[in-house]
Amino acid sequence: MNSLAGKITLDMRSSEPIYLQIARQVHTLVSAGSLKQGDQLPTVRELATELRINFNTVARAYRLLDEEKLISTQRGRGTYIWEEPTEDTMKQ
């Protein structure tokens, strides 16, 4: 599994909410090819621990990415990159 936390930079002073920073950066990593379809993401708790933020913040980012069909969470298996982002999902 790749280290997603090492690829995400959070700006705690930004007016952009942290969960949106995470979601935006995951989109960017997928677009750049750093994350590919089928890559497994860390669990919510693992990523929250590595980023030193509340796990609810990561859960909200993952939920947003799941709603956009960029990731898929499969109970008991993990969270994976589902598909390449489309123009529609990148505008949000």
Side-chain angles (χ1 to χ4, degrees):
M1 185 183 329
N2 56 49
S3 175
L4 181 60
K7 298 176 184 177
I8 291 181
T9 304
L10 300 178
D11 181 356
M12 300 302 184
R13 295 181 177 179
S14 173
S15 61
E16 182 181 31
I18 295 171
Y19 79 96
L20 289 178
Q21 291 181 45
I22 295 169
R24 177 178 44 79
Q25 290 182 54
V26 170
H27 272 287
T28 301
L29 290 167
V30 171
S31 295
S34 295
L35 291 174
K36 297 176 178 51
Q37 188 173 3
D39 283 353
Q40 186 172 9
L41 300 179
T43 67
V44 168
R45 290 190 188 274
E46 287 172 344
L47 185 57
T49 299
E50 289 180 34
L51 295 175
R52 297 182 180 162
I53 59 174
N54 189 294
F55 79 93
N56 288 315
T57 303
V58 177
R60 191 169 181 185
Y62 275 22
R63 204 168 28 252
L64 180 65
L65 292 166
D66 191 62
E67 289 170 2
E68 294 173 355
K69 306 270 191 263
L70 184 68
I71 66 172
S72 174
T73 301
Q74 301 159 13
R75 189 174 301 273
R77 292 196 59 223
T79 301
Y80 298 87
I81 299 297
W82 187 246
E83 61 184 38
E84 298 293 324
T86 63
E87 288 298 318
D88 293 337
T89 60
M90 292 302 289
K91 290 179 186 174
Q92 297 178 352

